[in-house]
Amino acid sequence: MKQICENVYEFTHPLIQHKITILRDKNTGTNEFRKVVEEIGMLMGFEALSDLPVKEIEVETPIETCKSPVIAGRKLAIVPILRAGLGMVPGILALTPSAKVGHIGMYRDEETHEPHEYFCKLPQPIEERTIVVTDPMLATGGSAVDAVSQIKKHGGKRIKFLAIIGAPEGVKRLHEAHPDIEIYVGHIDRCLNENAYICPGLGDAGDRIFGTK
Ligand code: PRP
Ligand code: URA
């Protein structure tokens, strides 16, 4: 993982880069696309959660009793930005099965590219939880900035944002709006096009995960 600046990280792991190439390919069908988004969610979640606190407990092995670490303290919440963020949730839940899951519904206006929120339901109390926000695409950053603001308004404090692909503009905007959150991006692409799509990107993540158009 490469640190871009304080709290912003880009993945360099070959497995993540390989899987992102599968997502980029326009010939990758819905079934495989969905599976690979889930796998990348797990790989990114694994790394982003490497600072989870642990405590030692006593455990009896078939040989003897020893002290051994377990995850301690802070509880987790996974908060996908609908729709596409949902695709990464099963991968992270596989690592942290007792995490609670909140949802934030956002869609981008096709003309203005401005985000509109249509749903927000977060596990309570959110203040005590480490919150992992998922969205495969960080384009203009508008949806991410608003989603994080909404989570903070509800009391969320310790937030990690996971995106599979980011545009430089979106990463910068999210970091400037919320410098306190950790941002993890699978790959930072070249730029946005005139329709605010990421280039080269992977197209519309929601449509490709759910097979809509
Ligand atoms: C996509 C994507 C992000 C957003 C990114 O969602 O999943 O949420 O666009 O764009 P931004 O950084 O410019 O805000 P979309 O609005 O297409 O909704 P969907 O997931 O329901 O398809
Ligand atoms: N949303 C997507 O799904 N893809 C993009 O490239 C930009 C926003």
Side-chain angles (χ1 to χ4, degrees):
M1 208 161 47
K2 184 164 80 186
Q3 181 161 15
I4 305 296
C5 61
E6 200 192 354
N7 280 344
V8 181
Y9 305 91
E10 183 182 19
F11 284 84
T12 52
H13 198 292
L15 283 175
I16 293 185
Q17 300 314 312
H18 177 90
K19 288 176 192 297
I20 288 176
T21 302
I22 296 173
L23 297 184
R24 290 192 195 282
D25 187 342
K26 67 178 185 184
N27 295 314
T28 299
T30 304
N31 188 13
E32 189 178 10
F33 192 93
R34 199 182 282 147
K35 195 172 115 276
V36 173
V37 166
E38 180 179 330
E39 289 169 358
I40 295 176
M42 183 190 285
L43 293 172
M44 289 183 67
F46 178 77
E47 201 51 55
L49 293 172
S50 64
D51 62 349
L52 281 181
V54 291
K55 66 175 182 196
E56 299 251 294
I57 62 162
E58 203 166 82
V59 63
E60 215 178 314
T61 80
I63 312 298
E64 61 181 38
T65 299
C66 69
K67 297 236 180 203
S68 194
V70 291
I71 303 293
R74 283 204 188 85
K75 296 185 160 62
L76 274 182
I78 306 169
V79 180
I81 300 179
L82 307 181
R83 293 173 299 163
L86 280 173
M88 298 166 73
V89 174
I92 305 172
L93 267 181
L95 301 170
T96 60
S98 53
K100 298 284 191 285
V101 181
H103 296 87
I104 295 190
M106 305 277 258
Y107 71 89
R108 285 201 322 176
D109 183 288
E110 281 185 13
E111 310 257 290
T112 65
H113 312 131
E114 286 300 314
H116 294 273
E117 187 189 317
Y118 58 88
F119 187 77
C120 181
K121 181 94 180 161
L122 301 174
Q124 294 297 338
I126 196 81
E127 313 54 8
E128 294 164 10
R129 296 181 184 273
T130 294
I131 301 156
V132 179
V133 184
T134 62
D135 193 333
M137 308 307 275
L138 180 54
T140 66
S143 306
V145 168
D146 283 10
V148 171
S149 298
Q150 192 58 248
I151 292 168
K152 286 183 175 175
K153 220 185 287 172
H154 282 79
K157 290 186 174 58
R158 195 179 144 77
I159 300 170
K160 296 169 186 271
F161 192 97
L162 270 55
I164 296 179
I165 296 188
E169 299 90 323
V171 175
K172 183 167 182 282
R173 183 168 167 192
L174 179 59
H175 178 58
E176 285 176 359
H178 298 291
D180 55 304
I181 73 164
E182 290 171 17
I183 302 170
Y184 295 88
V185 187
H187 191 268
I188 300 177
D189 273 12
R190 197 175 69 251
C191 62
L192 295 174
N193 68 13
E194 61 284 4
N195 297 317
Y197 271 81
I198 300 175
C199 304
L202 49 75
D204 187 306
D207 282 345
R208 295 197 66 191
I209 291 170
F210 295 106
T212 50
K213 190 66 212 119

